[in-house]
Amino acid sequence: MSWVLALPILIPLVTAVLAFLLRGSRMGDLASVAGAVASLGVAVLLVGVVLDRGVVAGQVGGWQAPYGITLVADHLSAAMVLITAIIGLAVAVWSLAEIGPDSSRLGYHALFQSLLGGVAGAFLTGDLFNLYVWFEVLLISSFGLLVIGGRKQAIDGAVKYVTLNLIATVLFLAGAGLLYGATGTLNMADLRGAVAASPDQGLMTLISMMLMVAFGMKAAVFPLFFWLPASYHTPHYAVSAVFAGLLTKVGVYALMRVFTLIFVGDIGYTHEILLWVSLLTMLTGVLGAAAQSDFRKILSFHIISQIGYMVLGLALMTPLAVMGAVFYLLHHIVVKTNLFLIAGVSRRLTGSSDLYAIGGLYRSAPLLAALFIIPAFSLAGFPPLSGFWAKFVIVRASLDGREWLVAGVALLVGLLTIFSMTKIWAEAFWKAHPDGRQPALAELPLSARWQMMGPIVALAVMTVAIGAFPSAFLDFATKGAEQLLDPAAYVAAVLGEARR
Amino acid sequence: METLVACLAGFLVSMAIWLMLSGNLMRFLFGLLLLSNGVNLAILAAGRLTPGAPPLLGASGALPPDTMANALPQALLLTAIVIGFGLFAFALALTIRAYRSFGHLEVDRMRSAEPAEDRR
């Protein structure tokens, strides 16, 4: 058992226990931050190991694959674990300023850390049923985080979030169970061979559709996204920031894993569906955002439209397109979390998230305005920020594949994204506050100012750095895409050379 | 035997869908309960039913003479049942909380997280 594979999961879970025991006290808050720092250290170590040795796998409890549970990290998994740790640390620090003693006493930090543990587990597992278990871990933690404020609005959002996500969960379970019944294995690397060798390819496609719906609902693609805009604007800002950054991406990751590793027998059918789904997801998301007037609701709809780009990269299934999807996934997590954190600061300063009831931030809090510009323009795809390269690669890949319609939609959605970012800019930052207030950052206590602005600045710097030096990240994503499209190394690492 | 269990699973799922299409949250939850039970049955059937052949080794670890049930689907089921129980308990608690907050369980009328209509 390789410890570097287990620690990214164990550290958050141990931290969750500690934070629960120390809940409500300052020590509990600090334990959460310390755990997040440790996670980040281990995640950096994991990326180092993967860069050095390629795909690494470990068998839990020493049970040989395909009988035991496998933990496995390739470029994509390792990068996702690292970005999870970065977001975990940023939001853990940020929530010190937002989460009051009430929520803290109810176990906010424990739930937050177990959510991170579940997310890391989902990225690292090489077993389909184990993936289901990690989905449940992160799901139940997210349920708790969603309602922890106990406000009426949050209960309303949670009802929709919980019910729809539970249906997706049951579908996933059914798909996994039937796949085991048909092939006799649940190890994902082993499933690749078993599914290809199955005499009943129609049944395999049917099961792949069940998993596509289940993961699609988690990823919030059209037409399964309705739980997302109904709930993401209701909880604490720290909670919605970590949800926006990580949760839907777990669904996208699962789609990418399953539809590059296991279900590649009928690409003409399955990936054509993904293609249309991605187009409609991009369009409905961005049009939905245009109709909203709440800071967080606009951002929530943008998550949906951006998910479309990632699924599009997967659907095109060319090396360039999958590389774009990997790059998009990583860039988007940083940008989206940052936008929600900025929305949180804006809410704290102006007292509302309704864009028609706030304003004046450009004049009174120019630093916040400048920091908003970076992720907002990155999301819309302005050069030289990270989002430009992400969109550039995806559009280039669709042009190379002679998918003119796809490329056109991708560009149009980019334009419409600018439109709604302009709306936030004009309403929250540019125009004067309707009540004549002058909301300044100096109104926040000094510690809260550091705790809130520190993570935002750090994430903004990352966005700029990815945009300014894209080649290192693009190379990394290229390697990740190669591993996804030719999983021989992945299969060999899990099952051993002999069974390749 | 598998056919019978499969039909039962299908029946449970169809009942579940009928219940879940209701706008009442409590009915939806009952549907969800039936749905997860139907899926559990389906997994059990997909793992092949072998009555009278428990997955037990004989004296000094001897394998049973002919067939032996596959224990893995049952292990999966146990996990799924426990997880399903936890999630259902949460959903039930949430329903009670929603009832206290809103005074009713009609999902169509739960709109406090939605923007008020015709605001401008």
Side-chain angles (χ1 to χ4, degrees):
Chain A
M1 186 65 231
S2 173
W3 282 104
V4 76
L5 283 169
L7 281 178
I9 307 172
L10 289 177
I11 290 176
L13 295 181
V14 170
T15 311
V17 175
L18 269 180
F20 183 77
L21 294 175
L22 300 168
R23 68 187 185 280
S25 73
R26 199 67 196 157
M27 290 302 288
D29 302 356
L30 293 179
S32 175
V33 174
V37 171
S39 299
L40 184 57
V42 173
V44 170
L45 205 63
L46 178 69
V47 170
V49 170
V50 168
L51 279 177
D52 190 36
R53 305 213 321 246
V55 185
V56 284
Q59 316 296 341
V60 177
W63 288 83
Q64 274 315 302
Y67 304 109
I69 289 170
T70 307
L71 295 180
V72 49
D74 59 359
H75 272 63
L76 176 61
S77 298
M80 294 304 284
V81 168
L82 178 60
I83 208 102
T84 303
I86 292 172
I87 297 304
L89 180 58
V91 178
V93 171
W94 200 89
S95 44
L96 295 180
E98 190 199 13
I99 303 302
D102 288 347
S103 296
S104 185
R105 213 170 294 125
L106 287 168
Y108 165 83
H109 293 286
L111 286 168
F112 178 74
Q113 289 291 338
S114 61
L115 179 82
L116 294 180
V119 171
F123 290 146
L124 283 174
T125 185
D127 182 281
L128 197 61
F129 193 80
N130 196 234
L131 182 64
Y132 164 77
V133 174
W134 289 122
F135 265 73
E136 299 307 303
V137 171
L138 68 91
L139 200 59
I140 195 85
S141 317
S142 70
F143 288 174
L145 288 172
L146 201 52
V147 297
I148 205 162
R151 293 181 311 141
K152 199 168 171 181
Q153 225 194 9
I155 301 290
D156 183 7
V159 165
K160 289 146 195 174
Y161 178 90
V162 167
T163 48
L164 288 174
N165 272 289
L166 284 180
I167 296 177
T169 291
V170 173
L171 259 176
F172 181 10
L173 177 65
L178 294 179
L179 198 56
Y180 178 76
T183 62
T185 181
L186 283 167
N187 184 298
M188 292 203 271
D190 199 27
L191 272 172
R192 179 178 172 83
V195 166
S198 164
D200 197 348
Q201 285 300 313
L203 184 64
M204 293 301 131
T205 307
L206 178 74
I207 294 173
S208 79
M209 287 299 115
M210 292 179 81
L211 293 183
M212 189 190 283
V213 173
F215 296 151
M217 207 182 260
K218 303 274 179 199
V221 297
F222 179 88
L224 307 163
F225 61 77
F226 294 100
W227 55 271
L228 194 151
S231 61
Y232 269 28
H233 63 293
T234 58
H236 289 304
Y237 277 80
V239 173
S240 59
V242 75
F243 281 17
L246 295 176
L247 286 198
T248 47
K249 310 315 172 301
V250 180
V252 177
Y253 168 84
L255 277 176
M256 287 176 75
R257 183 62 76 201
V258 166
F259 284 94
T260 57
L261 180 63
I262 303 175
F263 298 110
V264 287
D266 196 359
I267 288 184
Y269 181 70
T270 50
H271 288 60
E272 185 71 21
I273 295 181
L274 282 174
L275 186 71
W276 284 102
V277 160
S278 69
L279 288 184
L280 291 167
T281 308
M282 286 195 278
L283 279 173
T284 43
V286 83
L287 292 178
Q292 299 300 322
S293 61
D294 181 283
F295 204 143
R296 271 200 287 186
K297 257 195 134 145
I298 292 181
L299 295 180
S300 302
F301 272 101
H302 274 297
I303 300 176
I304 298 166
S305 85
Q306 305 287 314
I307 294 286
Y309 283 96
M310 300 166 210
V311 179
L312 173 60
L314 170 64
L316 291 171
M317 215 36 190
T318 61
L320 192 64
V322 175
M323 182 268 251
V326 172
F327 187 81
Y328 213 111
L329 196 56
L330 298 173
H331 126 82
H332 180 252
I333 293 176
V334 175
V335 165
K336 197 43 119 182
T337 308
N338 205 4
L339 282 171
F340 271 85
L341 294 181
I342 291 168
V345 177
S346 134
R347 157 81 214 237
R348 178 85 171 253
L349 293 178
T350 58
S352 172
S353 65
D354 182 354
L355 287 178
Y356 296 131
I358 64 175
L361 283 171
Y362 174 68
R363 190 142 306 166
S364 55
L367 175 64
L368 189 69
L371 287 168
F372 171 77
I373 286 285
I374 293 172
F377 274 17
S378 179
L379 193 76
F382 268 68
L385 297 161
S386 60
F388 167 71
W389 301 105
K391 281 205 172 59
F392 177 74
V393 174
I394 297 268
V395 171
R396 177 69 199 271
S398 37
L399 288 177
D400 282 356
R402 305 193 164 274
E403 301 274 3
W404 312 119
L405 173 73
V406 172
V409 170
L411 289 172
L412 175 72
V413 171
L415 269 179
L416 290 170
T417 309
I418 301 174
F419 165 72
S420 46
M421 285 300 142
T422 317
K423 183 174 181 177
I424 297 181
W425 175 258
E427 297 288 345
F429 291 91
W430 196 249
K431 78 163 196 268
H433 198 290
D435 302 341
R437 280 168 60 175
Q438 299 271 331
L441 281 173
E443 290 168 16
L444 296 176
L446 191 62
S447 65
R449 219 182 306 160
W450 279 105
Q451 285 156 358
M452 287 184 144
M453 298 312 286
I456 292 177
V457 170
L459 294 177
V461 167
M462 278 186 66
T463 306
V464 173
I466 297 176
F469 307 102
S471 56
F473 298 92
L474 289 170
D475 285 348
F476 189 92
T478 308
K479 193 87 184 71
E482 277 169 17
Q483 286 171 345
L484 285 175
L485 289 173
D486 178 22
Y490 184 97
V491 174
V494 174
L495 298 180
E497 288 293 334
R499 296 200 38 171
R500 176 137 64 130
Chain B
M1 187 69 177
E2 272 98 350
T3 320
L4 193 68
V5 177
C7 289
L8 181 59
F11 177 71
L12 283 178
V13 170
S14 56
M15 288 293 102
I17 291 173
W18 182 70
L19 279 170
M20 287 198 300
L21 289 176
S22 156
N24 185 304
L25 194 56
M26 206 59 217
R27 276 177 167 246
F28 178 90
L29 281 189
F30 287 137
L32 199 65
L33 200 59
L34 280 186
L35 182 68
S36 57
N37 282 340
V39 167
N40 287 347
L41 267 183
I43 296 175
L44 187 69
R48 313 295 185 276
L49 302 172
T50 46
L56 298 174
L57 298 181
S60 67
L63 284 172
D66 33 54
T67 57
M68 186 169 88
N70 185 350
L72 190 73
Q74 299 170 26
L76 300 185
L77 269 186
L78 280 179
T79 317
I81 289 172
V82 172
I83 291 176
F85 173 76
L87 292 179
F88 188 75
F90 179 88
L92 210 55
L94 181 67
T95 307
I96 295 172
R97 193 67 197 352
Y99 184 73
R100 287 196 188 136
S101 291
F102 303 111
H104 62 84
L105 286 175
E106 296 300 324
V107 192
D108 288 346
R109 283 161 55 208
M110 293 185 190
R111 292 191 53 84
S112 66
E114 303 297 319
E117 281 166 42
D118 295 332
R119 45 169 308 130
R120 287 209 112 182

